[in-house]
Amino acid sequence: MIFQPMALQSNQPYPIFSQLYEGRIAQGLLKGTPVIFKVYPGKQGGGVEADIMAANELNTHAFLQSSPRGICKNILLLLGGFETKTGEQWLAFRNDGKYSAADYAKITSNQISRTRSLGEKSLGPSEQNQTIKSRRHFVVKILQGAMSGLAYMHNHDRLHQSLGPASVVLNTIIESDATYLVPRVRDLAFSVDISFSNLEEDPGRLSEGLWRRAVAAGAVTPMEKRAFGIADDIYEAGLLFAYLAFVPFCEAGTMDSLSLQRLLESTFQLDVMATREYCLADDRLLEAVKFLDLSNGAGWELLQVN
């Protein structure tokens, strides 16, 4: 097959070494298939780390997609890759959406701000209730898809290690189309192999920080390090959950990922019920609190577990 790049898509927050292009497959069985190119600059432009990240992302996708259990629909599909004469590493993924969960949250919060600037009467009570109900359902589907992709990785001895709202791509951001929503995990450049055979070898450059933290926490044996790595990924998933529980339900500028993480970790030392009381006193956060209060506070319980 031949890949034909088209236009640069610079609005996506991929790792600092890479850029995004949009294109289509020009020849072969997959002719016409839309693709997203993730381009690493190679050693000259991005140093050795760029090459390592590109190779790790390529190898991780190839390994996961070769599983006898089948391809996971909640992980972005790699179609191929190549290296240019200048050393650039081009990875081609099926284009299953241009927007991430971070884009969705930002667009939604901006819509809330615009609606409220027009006055609460711009939507009737029944319309407001339906909008909130649709938003809750949409957010839950994003989380379910992201967790499904992450669980698939863990079941195949791979950590993600950079999971966040920008690492989940969506095929739609229209809340009324939630039935057709398929979230897909991407950005596997920092993925770590946690198979026992690999844990007994010297750690690669990308995982050195993880294993230093593991040892500092008392994880020494391969079993303990594996458990620490999975727990670390799940903690990141918890922060993703918190982000999606707040940002799409608040006006623009009310909450962002760093402020939310600081609130949970530093201000309230992961005491989620104390966090709830704080948020309950702020009318701007009321819809987020209501969302987490559903099913007898199941959202808060899930945050506490993470």
Side-chain angles (χ1 to χ4, degrees):
M1 69 184 84
I2 295 178
F3 297 115
Q4 185 179 53
M6 294 163 62
L8 176 66
Q9 299 290 313
S10 60
N11 62 322
Q12 297 290 352
Y14 271 71
I16 190 170
F17 290 116
S18 62
Q19 291 181 314
L20 273 188
Y21 293 85
E22 186 178 23
R24 289 184 182 276
I25 297 177
Q27 295 182 17
L29 294 176
L30 299 178
K31 181 180 179 180
T33 301
V35 297
I36 290 290
F37 293 100
K38 187 174 184 179
V39 183
Y40 289 92
K43 293 181 181 178
Q44 291 185 346
V48 176
E49 289 81 3
D51 266 4
I52 294 174
M53 289 167 63
N56 191 48
E57 185 156 17
L58 176 67
N59 292 335
T60 300
H61 275 283
F63 171 78
L64 293 173
Q65 290 175 202
S66 66
S67 170
R69 303 179 195 177
I71 294 175
C72 178
K73 70 175 184 178
N74 296 117
I75 297 178
L76 199 61
L77 185 67
L78 176 75
L79 296 177
F82 57 91
E83 181 177 350
T84 67
K85 293 180 180 180
T86 58
E88 290 181 338
Q89 305 288 340
W90 286 60
L91 304 183
F93 298 92
R94 190 175 65 191
N95 187 349
D96 286 314
K98 299 180 181 179
Y99 295 101
S100 68
D103 296 324
Y104 160 72
K106 181 178 180 180
I107 291 170
T108 304
S109 63
N110 285 333
Q111 287 175 344
I112 294 172
S113 295
R114 285 195 295 271
T115 299
R116 291 184 178 173
S117 69
L118 297 175
E120 295 295 336
K121 293 183 180 180
S122 59
L123 289 177
S126 61
E127 291 175 303
Q128 290 183 40
N129 290 336
Q130 183 57 46
T131 296
I132 291 297
K133 184 178 179 181
S134 297
R135 183 156 303 149
R136 290 171 176 173
H137 179 56
F138 196 85
V139 166
V140 168
K141 283 208 67 175
I142 294 176
L143 291 166
Q144 288 175 335
M147 296 308 105
S148 176
L150 185 63
Y152 185 90
M153 292 186 68
H154 290 174
N155 289 336
H156 288 75
D157 296 328
R158 294 296 185 274
L159 301 179
H160 189 286
Q161 283 299 287
S162 61
L163 186 64
S167 301
V168 181
V169 66
L170 311 176
N171 62 329
T172 180
I173 57 171
I174 301 173
E175 292 169 342
S176 59
D177 289 344
T179 301
Y180 311 104
L181 172 64
V182 182
R184 292 177 173 88
V185 173
R186 66 179 182 185
D187 295 343
L188 307 189
F190 293 97
S191 179
V192 177
D193 182 349
I194 54 170
S195 60
F196 286 113
S197 59
N198 189 71
L199 289 172
E200 293 173 350
E201 300 176 357
D202 291 334
R205 182 178 299 193
L206 297 178
S207 60
E208 287 176 346
L210 169 66
W211 301 134
R212 277 198 299 269
R213 289 188 287 112
V215 171
V220 179
T221 68
M223 180 74 77
E224 292 169 340
K225 291 169 71 175
R226 175 186 168 86
F228 180 91
I230 292 175
D232 194 62
D233 251 13
I234 292 174
Y235 185 83
E236 286 187 340
L239 292 176
L240 170 63
F241 171 53
Y243 177 90
L244 289 172
F246 276 88
V247 177
F249 296 95
C250 303
E251 290 188 57
T254 301
M255 189 68 74
D256 57 42
S257 57
L258 289 177
S259 299
L260 184 56
Q261 187 170 354
R262 193 179 305 117
L263 185 71
L264 290 167
E265 294 179 344
S266 301
T267 305
F268 293 106
Q269 300 292 306
L270 302 180
D271 184 340
V272 297
M273 296 319 295
T275 304
R276 179 186 181 278
E277 293 304 313
Y278 170 85
C279 296
L280 197 59
D282 189 336
D283 289 342
R284 300 174 303 168
L285 306 176
L286 188 57
E287 286 301 335
V289 173
K290 289 180 179 179
F291 175 61
L292 292 167
D293 278 348
L294 293 174
S295 300
N296 296 318
W300 297 107
E301 289 182 13
L302 186 56
L303 279 180
Q304 187 69 68
V305 169
N306 282 289

